[in-house]
Amino acid sequence: MSTPIKPGGEYRGDFLEVDAMLDDEERLIRDTVRAFVADRVLPDIADWFAQGTIPVELAKEMGAMGLLGMHLNGYGTAGTNAVSYGLACRELEAGDSGVRSFVSVQGSLAMYPIWAFGSEEQKQRWLPPMASGEIIGCFGLTEADAGSDPEAMKTSARQDGSDWVIDGTKMWITNGGIAGVAIIWAHTENGIRGFIVPTDTPGFSTSDIRYKMSLRASVTSELVLDGVRVPGDAILPDVVGLKGPLSCLNEARLGIVFGSTGAARACYEAALSYSKERVQFGRPIASFQLTQRKLVEMMVKVNQATLLAMHLGRKRDAGTLTAQQVSFGKMVNVRSALEVAREARSVLGANGITLEYPVIRHMNNLESVYTYEGTNEIHILVLGEAITGISAFQ
Amino acid sequence: MKIAVCVKQIPDPATPYELDAESHLVVRPQDQVLDDTDRYGVEVGLQLAEANEGTVTLFSMSPSGSLQGIRQALAMGADKAVLIDDQALRGSAALTTARVLAAAIEREGFDLVIAGTESTDGYTGVVPQQIAEILDVPALSFARRVEAGDGKVTIERQTATGYDVVESPLPAVLAVTAGSVEPRYPTFKGIMQAKQKPIDNLTAGDLGFGDDDVGIAGSGQSITAVAPIAGRQAGEIIEDDGEAHLRIVALLEETKVI
Ligand SMILES: Cc1cc2nc3c(=O)[nH]c(=O)nc-3n(C[C@H](O)[C@H](O)[C@H](O)COP(=O)(O)OP(=O)(O)OC[C@H]3O[C@@H](n4cnc5c(N)ncnc54)[C@H](O)[C@@H]3O)c2cc1C
Ligand SMILES: Cc1cc2nc3c(=O)[nH]c(=O)nc-3n(C[C@H](O)[C@H](O)[C@H](O)COP(=O)(O)OP(=O)(O)OC[C@H]3O[C@@H](n4cnc5c(N)ncnc54)[C@H](O)[C@@H]3O)c2cc1C
């Protein structure tokens, strides 16, 4: 208690100076991804969103930097800590949730299960080209009739000699149409198992989902597996049951806990700068009390969410993070990002509905983020069960 | 080929600069970043090192205790760094900066020295030429394309209308222009390895300078006062009633632009 509280100074987005907690390495990773987003994403993202595309070349550029599977180690991955992974997700999602989704799916949903549950041969074969972005992966869990309740999936795999034969249809699969390899979760005689399926295997086909209004700069596809035959060594040997896919989702959700704060920050910053320049009734709209309240609420939400993300990230690195704590972060940070986006949208008036500004793009994207990787409601129920000891799922 | 790249660490340009009330010097925060213009020098150095089996050593003078900017350049791929970090250097003018950098470079040995054309925070644009003079080697300025090997360096020197091709024997000093090359992003692996790369910490004394040779004392000048620049005045808006061009031509003539 030696120095007095300072009188204050000029405040930027990081009001609580949360990033002062970062070490040099984490800061450099943050700055590198931020520069990449400024150079490679922001100039074109409105067009990608409008056209419903994401250029596949981005994968190799991100791979060269070390973004893909960065929080794993060995096999060509960068081997950073979890906070760095979170910061990368935050900066990517400040660009667009679609770009962040690409990285989440590649690193946490496609590479992670091979890294965590695969055989040594599987790791050697798949991880290096996935880390470099030469091979894009996808994660097939959800089906049209099995979303929040993945246990209800119909996809099944049966043994035929030494091979496995997989039948079923997966739905809402990010990167599906551009993937070279799919991690497919299927019922077998002894529980749910994961399979590494090259997408050029006969019987495997995809069709992209069109007319999305959200996450447009991201490919979302249906995967059809019609008697897809893979060799015996395509099965992930080291995990049985739903805990396989659920542990992947937990890894990815930490990225969302951070990522959503990036989208929220971008919306808040857009609203702040717009409100200082937009003049109505002879004054900048930032001078109206109602607008200041909106700005303050947004700023507070962004800072709270950022603090929470840092706390959970540090716990992840310390090895003390629980799945329920991840649910806490996913539930509240995405909800609050969506609230910030909607508030920011209103500050921008009519301009807020155009792609000239990032806000409605983030707002629409966040609707997907709210739903995927466990809907908001499912995470509430997880927390409800955690504090009452009573499951309300069924 | 031994390549020395000068990199300046500066306060983050995204945050407002603060002047010390007494010395009128810019307050150097603990966390300084790599001057963006020096990313080009680092990239040129790395490309030449890759083509000539060379090494890249960074040289930086910054009385702040900051390592962040140097780590960024190391993360891009430089082999090691020499940091002259000493409170006695505070307030050094450009010539002192050049003397200190030249002494450190000479001590390490070099075939080629690369610097930026001008820094973002100081922008005197004289340090590279001063270093060349002190080291008694040729200075090549405004370099955009650079090739080196076989004991010589060839550059395209940016001019107002195009470029000159300039050649010089090595050793030499180069000042590269921003935009000359596309600086690489540091890779995450590079960022993680940067911490293990050697950074030699030197004081002015290690290089043979006394306290009076450097810093404010050594600059031979003092900043007696600073004043804020006058705010920009609102421009004149000329409504086009069909005759606006005449008024614009008259204005340009008044200001002797045409
Ligand atoms: C853009 C996008 C990308 C996606 N990418 C992938 C991917 O790469 N891989 C993959 O496997 N999946 C992916 N998904 C699927 C996503 O995970 C599912 O959409 C999600 O799990 C919800 O399933 P559902 O859409 O079938 O909704 P439902 O499960 O049908 O839910 C509908 C509503 O009912 C609520 N609800 C359901 N059960 C309960 C309950 N017990 N109590 C209270 N409320 C309940 C839900 O919260 C929700 O509000 C993606 C989805 C989107 C939109
Ligand atoms: C009148 C006056 C007032 C000054 N006021 C201040 C002040 O308020 N605060 C303050 O901190 N300093 C002050 N200085 C010092 C001065 O700004 C710089 O430290 C020094 O002169 C370097 O000049 P520059 O940045 O303009 O270099 P430039 O010649 O513009 O830089 C060209 C290139 O030289 C290299 N280079 C330059 N400096 C360094 C370095 N330190 N380390 C490594 N490479 C380098 C870089 O590659 C750079 O791109 C003042 C100097 C003078 C003469």
Side-chain angles (χ1 to χ4, degrees):
Chain A
M1 296 292 281
S2 54
T3 44
I5 293 172
K6 292 194 288 180
E10 194 163 327
Y11 289 102
R12 308 252 157 185
D14 185 11
F15 192 90
L16 295 177
E17 295 167 2
V18 180
D19 278 12
M21 287 188 243
L22 304 178
D23 67 23
D24 277 1
E25 226 165 73
E26 292 161 346
R27 212 167 304 171
L28 259 178
I29 287 178
R30 174 198 68 186
D31 292 347
T32 303
V33 180
R34 199 178 275 181
F36 174 79
V37 168
D39 295 346
R40 286 294 284 123
V41 177
L42 293 180
D44 296 315
I45 185 62
D47 286 338
W48 299 341
F49 188 92
Q51 289 154 18
T53 57
I54 180 168
V56 280
E57 314 86 85
L58 272 189
K60 284 189 189 150
E61 292 174 38
M62 296 195 287
M65 203 190 299
L67 264 169
L68 306 178
M70 62 188 278
H71 56 311
L72 311 178
N73 56 48
Y75 310 99
T77 63
T80 71
N81 64 5
V83 167
S84 295
Y85 171 59
L87 293 168
C89 288
R90 185 181 87 185
E91 298 307 323
L92 288 170
E93 195 149 358
D96 191 83
S97 302
V99 180
R100 198 271 304 140
S101 297
F102 179 93
V103 169
S104 291
V105 167
Q106 180 80 352
S108 287
L109 297 183
M111 294 173 71
Y112 177 79
I114 300 175
W115 181 83
F117 311 124
S119 66
E120 187 54 35
E121 294 74 48
Q122 288 171 336
K123 293 180 202 184
Q124 305 264 8
R125 171 169 174 205
W126 294 105
L127 293 178
M130 291 175 85
S132 69
E134 268 154 77
I135 296 182
I136 295 172
C138 68
F139 177 85
L141 177 67
T142 305
E143 300 179 0
D145 296 328
S148 299
D149 181 13
E151 188 95 53
M153 69 169 76
K154 302 248 168 51
T155 300
S156 66
R158 66 185 160 81
Q159 231 158 349
D160 184 32
S162 64
D163 295 344
W164 286 92
V165 179
I166 312 172
D167 285 287
T169 303
K170 296 291 179 182
M171 191 60 178
W172 305 112
I173 306 307
T174 302
N175 293 354
I178 52 172
V181 65
I183 305 298
I184 298 293
W185 301 95
H187 278 296
T188 68
E189 263 181 4
N190 36 33
I192 289 175
R193 300 294 300 256
F195 295 87
I196 306 175
V197 182
T199 55
D200 59 3
T201 312
F204 189 103
S205 62
T206 68
S207 56
D208 295 345
I209 293 161
R210 298 190 192 285
Y211 310 119
K212 282 184 298 176
M213 299 302 287
S214 171
L215 224 66
R216 290 183 53 75
S218 170
V219 176
T220 318
S221 318
E222 180 187 46
L223 313 181
V224 178
L225 295 96
D226 183 9
V228 168
R229 178 178 290 272
V230 290
D233 62 7
I235 194 166
L236 291 171
D238 293 341
V239 73
V240 180
L242 259 190
K243 72 169 186 289
L246 295 188
S247 66
C248 303
L249 291 168
N250 275 331
E251 293 295 321
R253 282 170 193 151
L254 186 64
I256 295 177
V257 173
F258 275 88
S260 54
T261 71
R265 185 187 78 203
C267 291
Y268 159 63
E269 284 174 355
L272 179 63
S273 75
Y274 187 87
S275 67
K276 291 205 274 197
E277 269 154 35
R278 175 69 180 171
V279 173
Q280 286 295 287
F281 300 98
R283 296 153 58 179
I285 61 171
S287 67
F288 300 124
Q289 290 182 347
L290 287 176
T291 310
Q292 288 200 359
R293 181 187 177 146
K294 290 181 187 179
L295 294 170
V296 169
E297 294 291 350
M298 286 189 266
M299 183 277 285
V300 167
K301 279 180 183 152
V302 172
N303 275 267
Q304 283 176 328
T306 308
L307 262 177
L308 173 58
M310 278 298 291
H311 177 67
L312 298 183
R314 290 283 181 237
K315 280 183 70 68
R316 176 76 185 90
D317 281 325
T320 59
L321 185 64
T322 68
Q324 287 82 0
Q325 288 164 341
V326 176
S327 284
F328 183 123
K330 201 279 179 180
M331 178 202 79
V332 69
N333 274 13
V334 179
R335 181 178 71 194
S336 118
L338 200 46
E339 287 164 1
V340 169
R342 288 173 182 155
E343 198 79 287
R345 224 279 321 134
S346 81
V347 172
L348 268 68
N351 277 318
I353 69 156
T354 70
L355 279 176
E356 297 288 317
Y357 293 85
V359 176
I360 200 161
R361 180 167 51 77
H362 283 301
M363 187 180 111
N364 277 12
N365 282 342
L366 286 165
E367 292 291 348
S368 288
V369 183
Y370 193 73
T371 291
Y372 69 24
E373 309 250 359
T375 64
N376 185 264
E377 294 78 5
I378 292 298
H379 288 296
I380 292 176
L381 297 185
V382 168
L383 295 179
E385 181 180 3
I387 58 177
T388 64
I390 307 165
S391 165
F393 287 94
Q394 281 115 8
Chain B
M1 184 181 288
K2 279 187 96 161
I3 300 167
V5 180
C6 297
V7 292
K8 191 173 184 183
Q9 301 189 101
I10 64 172
D12 189 341
T15 60
Y17 281 25
E18 215 181 300
L19 289 184
D20 183 85
E22 232 168 81
S23 68
H24 303 310
L25 294 177
V26 173
V27 176
R28 304 260 155 194
Q30 178 77 40
D31 291 320
Q32 298 203 103
V33 298
L34 178 65
D35 187 344
D36 203 55
T37 52
D38 283 331
R39 290 195 304 139
Y40 299 94
V42 175
E43 180 62 38
V44 169
L46 291 173
Q47 288 184 13
L48 293 177
E50 280 154 14
N52 294 286
E53 290 179 16
T55 56
V56 173
T57 305
L58 308 169
F59 291 85
S60 190
M61 168 179 137
S62 53
S64 76
S66 176
L67 288 177
Q68 204 185 317
I70 293 178
R71 288 250 168 81
Q72 186 179 342
L74 287 172
M76 287 173 72
D79 299 286
K80 60 177 196 156
V82 176
L83 171 64
I84 312 102
D85 188 344
D86 186 341
Q87 277 305 310
L89 294 168
R90 254 176 58 83
S92 293
L95 183 55
T96 314
T97 306
R99 283 195 180 117
V100 170
L101 290 171
I105 291 167
E106 190 151 45
R107 186 178 130 127
E108 193 74 24
F110 69 98
D111 295 305
L112 182 63
V113 180
I114 301 175
T117 291
E118 68 176 29
S119 70
T120 303
D121 64 337
Y123 52 84
T124 60
V126 295
V127 168
Q129 291 73 16
Q130 291 172 331
I131 293 176
E133 189 61 27
I134 296 162
L135 295 173
D136 198 21
V137 298
L140 295 85
S141 53
F142 298 108
R144 27 178 256 188
R145 290 195 54 172
V146 180
E147 275 170 44
D150 293 332
K152 63 176 191 193
V153 54
T154 312
I155 66 157
E156 286 179 10
R157 181 170 62 195
Q158 185 85 47
T159 67
T161 51
Y163 63 88
D164 301 328
V165 176
V166 181
E167 195 179 288
S168 149
L170 292 176
V173 175
L174 273 189
V176 298
T177 56
S180 50
V181 283
E182 180 99 15
R184 64 195 68 186
Y185 298 106
T187 66
F188 294 177
K189 272 190 199 151
I191 291 172
M192 316 265 290
Q193 284 158 2
K195 235 197 225 147
Q196 270 90 52
K197 291 185 176 172
I199 300 178
D200 285 352
N201 263 289
L202 300 181
T203 61
D206 293 336
L207 294 168
F209 295 99
D211 278 359
D212 289 346
D213 301 332
V214 295
I216 297 173
S219 75
Q221 23 177 301
S222 64
I223 304 163
T224 52
V226 289
I229 50 169
R232 278 210 290 175
Q233 304 201 323
E236 182 185 340
I237 294 171
I238 302 164
E239 297 276 347
D240 190 6
D241 53 1
E243 304 282 296
H245 59 287
L246 297 176
R247 178 85 192 102
I248 291 171
V249 170
L251 271 174
L252 290 173
E253 278 171 343
E254 252 170 62
T255 51
K256 305 239 184 308
V257 174
I258 53 174

